[in-house]
Structures are given as C-alpha cells and as structure tokens.
Amino acid sequence: MSSVAQPYPRVSEGDEVEDVKERLRRAIREARTQRSTRRREAAALALADVVTSIPAVAGARCVSVYAARPTEPGTGPLLEALAARGVRLLLPVLGTGLRRDWAEYAGPEDLRERAPGRPPEPGSPTLGADALADADVVVAPALAVDTSGARLGQGGGWYDRALEHARDGVLVVAVVFPEEVYDATVRPLPRERHDRLVDVVATPDGWQPIG
Ligand SMILES: Nc1nc2c(c(=O)[nH]1)N(C=O)[C@@H](CNc1ccc(C(=O)N[C@@H](CCC(=O)O)C(=O)O)cc1)CN2
Ligand SMILES: Nc1ncnc2c1ncn2[C@@H]1O[C@H](COP(=O)(O)OP(=O)(O)OP(=O)(O)O)[C@@H](O)[C@H]1O
C-alpha cells in the first residue's frame, strides 16, 4: 500500500451510494491530473512488465485491454508487448448511447480519440459485445479498487455490463495507480449490487490476487 494521501469520502447517514462514489471519483480524477508526463510514461512501462508477469496473462491467447486516456495508467507498452507475442487484443469501442462493443488492436497508429475526453479506439471493424467471450483475461480500467475486489470505475457502468459477456471464470484484472488500492478492512469502497468483483489488482508497483 502506498503512503501517498488517499482520498476517502466522509459518509453521513442517508447519503446515496451513487453520490458517495461520485465524490470519490472527483477526488481521484483530480489527483490523477497532478502526475507529470515523465511519471506517466514510467508508470506505463512498469505496468507492462507487471501485467505480462501475471501467469494467466502469460498463458493467454486473447486478452481484453483498455486503451488509456492521458491521466489513466498507460497501456501503450502493455499493448505492444502482448501484440509482439502474438496475443489477440480486444479493445473497447463505444457505440451510440455508450453501447458495449470491441475491436482488435492493430497498432498504436490505428488508435483514434473519436471525441475530446473519450478513450482512443481502434479503427478496425467492430465485433459486437459478444466478442468479449473470446477473452482469456480482461484488463479493466478503474479509479480505485479495494482488497475485497470492489472496483470503482468512471461511473457509466460500462465494464459492469460488458463483463456479463465474458466467459465464466475469466480473470478480471483491475489497473490503478498504487495509492488507489484501498484496504477493505479500513476503507471499503462503496459497493452496489450490480458491481462485479475483480480477481486481481495490478499497479506499476506489482500485482496481487484479491477478492
Ligand atoms: N480508457 C478507458 N476506456 C474505457 C473506459 C475507461 O474507463 N477508460 N470505460 C469504462 O467504463 C468505458 C467507457 N468510458 C468512457 C469514458 C469517458 C466518456 C466520456 O464521455 N467522457 C467525457 C469527457 C470526460 C472528461 O473529460 O474527463 C466526454 O466525452 O464528454 C465516455 C465513456 C470503455 N472504455
Ligand atoms: N450490470 C448492470 N446492469 C444494469 N445497470 C448497471 C449495471 N452495472 C452498472 N449499472 C448502472 O450503471 C451506473 C454506473 O454504475 P457504476 O457506478 O458501478 O459504474 P462504474 O463501474 O464505476 O463505471 P464503469 O464500469 O463504466 O467504469 C449505475 O447507475 C448502475 O445502475
């Protein structure tokens, strides 16, 4: 666990879980803007080593990985490392109304930000929401994860819904910065019924099974 300050909302009786989540999202997003380009690049390189060292990833033929926006833990080196090993990579594509869809990674030059603030997406043909069933491992973005496996995402419920198409028993790896791993015995993340627990947390400092 990191010694860097960790935002945690003060919860009063009657607060809606959704509001508590939103306050925490805002604090973590703000903290993420403070990281320099140099530190972001170093983190992305370290993350590639960490994630490729997870045994299930090392043995996978098809992995789903998010294409990071600038403030998220970077996945460029990870995508290149897995592609170089011949792993098939499924990246999120947002349909209208944020529909879940996937397309194959075809190199960094194929990734495009379709609108400001949106994640970069491949230009290759989309495969439908069911394509996630091909993935042996899902590497999902998160703003925070706790040691019971609860994941706080960007708030669209996109991954919670997308994961309904994953095969049973597929390993879900949530990626965060080190200070975004919360000790569930002290600071559990707010959790709702639909929230799907993750199996592993990976940061640029290392990975651990959770949940
Ligand atoms: N890299 C990445 N890809 C991901 C996710 C994620 O959290 N990170 N998602 C996780 O679920 C899904 C979709 N996430 C989305 C993230 C932002 C917006 C969006 O509309 N953003 C605002 C700008 C916000 C900002 O500037 O911070 C916008 O376009 O108006 C839409 C979907 C699938 N792909
Ligand atoms: N499996 C689901 N089925 C139906 N609605 C869902 C499901 N998962 C999430 N939602 C809805 O989506 C909204 C956001 O969910 P949540 O707060 O869990 O998002 P998140 O996991 O932080 O975001 P994301 O997965 O996009 O990174 C909630 O209002 C919730 O009702």
Side-chain angles (χ1 to χ4, degrees):
M1 210 118 340
S2 167
S3 58
V4 176
Q6 191 173 55
Y8 195 68
R10 198 186 296 274
V11 182
S12 311
E13 215 181 306
D15 284 357
E16 299 286 347
V17 180
E18 206 29 71
D19 296 339
V20 177
K21 281 185 169 182
E22 204 43 48
R23 276 189 279 151
L24 186 51
R25 285 189 188 106
R26 235 176 287 138
I28 296 172
R29 285 195 194 109
E30 167 58 27
R32 283 186 169 186
T33 64
Q34 304 301 314
R35 204 169 265 106
S36 66
T37 305
R38 199 172 54 81
R39 285 174 61 217
R40 284 179 186 157
E41 287 171 357
L45 285 170
L47 188 66
D49 286 342
V50 168
V51 175
T52 51
S53 75
I54 299 170
V57 174
R61 296 207 310 206
C62 178
V63 179
S64 161
V65 180
Y66 68 95
R69 290 179 293 162
T71 57
E72 293 179 308
T75 53
L78 172 63
L79 287 164
E80 282 298 282
L82 292 171
R85 294 179 184 189
V87 176
R88 182 173 172 236
L89 295 164
L90 298 176
L91 273 57
V93 172
L94 305 177
T96 42
L98 300 188
R99 263 211 333 276
R100 272 73 54 203
D101 209 337
W102 301 93
E104 275 184 33
Y105 179 67
E109 57 294 326
D110 183 48
L111 292 175
R112 294 254 190 299
E113 206 179 275
R114 315 258 154 219
R118 284 238 180 163
E121 295 180 355
S124 50
T126 57
L127 306 168
D130 293 344
L132 193 63
D134 293 343
D136 303 312
V137 177
V138 177
V139 177
L143 284 169
V145 177
D146 76 21
T147 50
S148 75
R151 164 186 170 276
L152 180 73
Q154 292 290 346
W158 197 94
Y159 265 91
D160 288 318
R161 291 184 181 90
L163 285 167
E164 291 170 10
H165 298 271
R167 288 201 311 275
D168 283 347
V170 152
L171 195 83
V172 180
V173 179
V175 174
V176 292
F177 289 106
E179 65 275 20
E180 296 162 354
V181 181
Y182 284 68
D183 182 344
T185 62
V186 189
R187 293 172 156 188
L189 291 178
R191 204 203 274 183
E192 294 170 276
R193 216 170 329 139
H194 63 255
D195 287 329
R196 191 192 193 285
L197 297 183
V198 302
D199 308 298
V200 168
V201 59
T203 80
D205 287 354
W207 65 273
Q208 61 180 106
I210 49 174

